[in-house]
């Protein structure tokens, strides 16, 4: 992005901190009222933190897993990368199993494996360097996507976003929220709406807090207010992130994304998906092949630890859904923009 962008103002939060000995994760279960870090000193600590959503958001999960690999390396003895590859694999499998839907997790682990295999006696340093590179590249990708995505948005627009796709969910700046940051900084986006994102409340607890840290004015709405908001004509774009983008453009993202895409199309709004190319999974042909994570039904039984549902009520809690590619107007990655995605266009962009 251009040199005049004030990153210090528009990007203050960092969810993942490597101290040289341990991984410090800003505990997203406790925000916004408690700002506390979880310290991970083993790869299993990292796997548990990913599973429990202490760290969350597809790119952040991938980065955390990369550092988890570095930590796993500390628990084994190996003369070179080939030997380490064999010994480290069980720990990588446990990291991989922490959450199923965001492809960034498997992507980061595959990248760490690829670097480790041919490494020599300095294989631990190689792993550390690669984890650092994954984080650095993610931040750069987000800044570039901010520029590309904001260029699609007209002057004086309003936008609606879903879940949390900001600095908290990435190495920094964010994906969809990066586009919104850039659009606000350029004076193009005048109104930002964030929905609550039941059941885990990423929008209510994280997104509006994160924007407040940057001095960006945002308005919270109930998830169920989205169609009504669209009908008022105040928003022109829905801008969301992604956990996995298939070869035909079908996109898995936080539960509720699909209904926003349907409502956006009905009301003549544009729908933008913003994600780094590490979220693109060309090996998965279409959305019905994606494993959708289902979490504890207890997440639906209460809010903030207070039970609101009568005892004995069953609940179903899928935490992602798939938006068909034909409801998406633009997929923005650091490699460019794919408009109205099809398998052919995705292949041309991502090989
Ligand atoms: O369950 P979460 O909070 O990890 O889900 C996060 C999302 O669905 C995000 O939209 C996605 O990971 C993109 S984050 C840049």
């Amino acid at each position: 992005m251009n040199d005049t962008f004030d990153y210090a103002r528009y990007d203050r939060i960092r969810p993942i901190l490597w101290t040289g000995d341990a991984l410090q994760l800003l505990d997203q279960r406790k925000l916004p009222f408690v700002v506390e870090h979880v310290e991970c000193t083993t790869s299993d600590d990292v796997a548990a933190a990913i599973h429990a959503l202490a760290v969350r958001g597809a790119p952040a999960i991938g980065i955390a897993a990369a550092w988890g690999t570095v930590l796993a390396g500390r628990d084994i003895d190996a003369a070179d990368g080939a030997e380490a590859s064999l010994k480290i694999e069980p720990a990588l499998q446990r990291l991989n199993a922490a959450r199923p839907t965001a492809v960034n997790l498997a992507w980061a682990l595959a990248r760490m494996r690829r670097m480790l295999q041919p490494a020599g006696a300095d294989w631990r340093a190689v792993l550390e360097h690669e984890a650092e590179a994954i984080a650095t590249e993610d931040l750069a990708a987000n800044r570039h996507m901010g520029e590309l995505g904001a260029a699609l948005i007209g002057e004086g627009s309003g936008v609606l976003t879903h879940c949390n796709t900001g600095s908290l969910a990435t190495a920094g700046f964010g994906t969809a929220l990066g586009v919104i940051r850039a659009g606000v900084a350029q004076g193009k986006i005048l109104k930002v709406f964030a929905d609550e994102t039941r059941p885990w409340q990423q929008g209510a607890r994280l997104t509006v807090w994160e924007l407040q840290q940057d001095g960006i004015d945002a308005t919270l709405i109930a998830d169920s207010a989205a169609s009504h908001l669209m009908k008022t004509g105040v928003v022109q774009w829905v801008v969301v992130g992604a956990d996995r983008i298939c070869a035909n453009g079908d996109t898995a993202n936080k539960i509720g994304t699909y209904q926003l895409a349907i409502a956006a199309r009905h009301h003549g709004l544009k729908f933008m998906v913003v994600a780094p190319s590490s979220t693109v999974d060309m090996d998965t042909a279409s959305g019905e092949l994606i494993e959708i994570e289902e979490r504890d039904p207890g997440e639906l039984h209460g809010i903030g630890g207070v039970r609101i549902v009568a005892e004995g009520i069953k609940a179903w809690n899928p935490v992602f859904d798939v938006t068909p590619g034909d409801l998406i107007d633009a997929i923005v990655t650091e490699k460019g923009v794919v408009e109205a995605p099809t398998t052919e266009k995705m292949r041309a962009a991502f090989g």
Side-chain angles (χ1 to χ4, degrees), residues 26-258:
L26 180 56
D27 193 340
Q28 303 196 26
R29 297 166 299 184
K30 298 188 174 165
L31 291 171
F33 297 120
V34 177
V35 179
E36 214 171 80
H37 288 79
V38 176
E39 184 174 83
C40 301
T41 54
T42 68
S43 63
D44 285 342
D45 288 347
V46 178
I50 292 172
H51 182 71
L53 309 189
V55 60
R56 47 142 300 281
I61 292 171
I63 295 162
W67 287 117
T69 307
V70 172
L71 288 170
R74 304 204 165 176
D75 288 336
I76 58 173
D77 274 329
D80 58 21
E83 188 188 350
S85 292
L86 289 173
K87 291 187 169 170
I88 209 170
E89 193 51 34
L92 302 200
Q93 294 292 337
R94 291 194 296 278
L95 281 165
N96 194 48
R99 291 192 80 186
T101 305
V103 72
N104 305 62
L105 176 54
W107 171 87
L109 293 173
R111 187 166 155 174
M112 297 299 278
R113 281 188 192 99
R114 264 199 313 278
M115 294 311 292
L116 180 58
Q117 181 67 36
D122 64 342
W123 60 269
R124 283 195 183 83
V126 168
L127 286 181
E128 196 163 329
H129 181 265
E130 198 59 15
E132 242 161 44
I134 287 174
T136 306
E137 287 168 26
D138 186 64
L139 181 59
N142 292 338
R143 289 176 173 179
H144 186 43
M145 292 188 296
E147 194 178 358
L148 294 174
L152 301 174
I153 295 175
E155 297 287 341
S157 292
V159 299
L160 169 63
T161 192
H162 184 57
C163 196
N164 172 270
T165 62
S167 301
L168 285 168
T170 63
F173 200 62
T175 58
L177 221 53
V179 168
I180 291 171
R181 283 191 159 98
V184 168
Q186 292 168 12
K188 281 178 143 184
I189 296 177
L190 301 184
K191 268 288 200 190
V192 180
F193 292 88
D195 64 25
E196 285 181 295
T197 320
R198 274 290 281 158
W200 214 69
Q201 310 279 17
Q202 285 93 333
R205 294 192 305 104
L206 306 177
T207 298
V208 289
W209 176 78
E210 183 176 329
L211 290 175
Q212 188 182 52
Q213 305 305 301
D214 290 358
I216 294 177
D217 189 38
T219 303
L220 181 67
I221 62 164
D223 295 322
S224 44
S227 292
H228 179 62
L229 172 75
M230 292 180 193
K231 200 167 150 188
T232 65
V234 177
V235 294
Q236 284 68 45
W237 279 91
V238 177
V239 188
V240 300
D243 286 79
R244 190 181 294 248
I245 302 174
C246 299
N248 68 347
D250 290 356
T251 295
N253 191 48
K254 180 52 55 192
I255 191 77
T257 304
Y258 178 32

Side-chain angles (χ1 to χ4, degrees), residues 286-340:
S286 60
E288 67 273 9
L289 301 169
I290 299 175
E291 184 183 347
I292 299 292
E293 179 182 5
E294 291 187 16
R295 292 185 70 86
D296 182 358
E299 289 181 354
L300 287 169
H301 286 144
I303 299 178
V306 178
R307 189 164 179 116
I308 57 161
V309 177
E311 296 295 338
I313 301 293
K314 288 198 291 289
W316 178 50
N317 188 21
V319 299
F320 297 99
D321 58 26
V322 176
T323 299
D326 59 13
L327 289 179
I328 298 170
D329 293 293
I331 293 178
V332 177
T333 75
E334 80 283 7
K335 296 191 171 175
V337 178
V338 177
E339 290 191 58

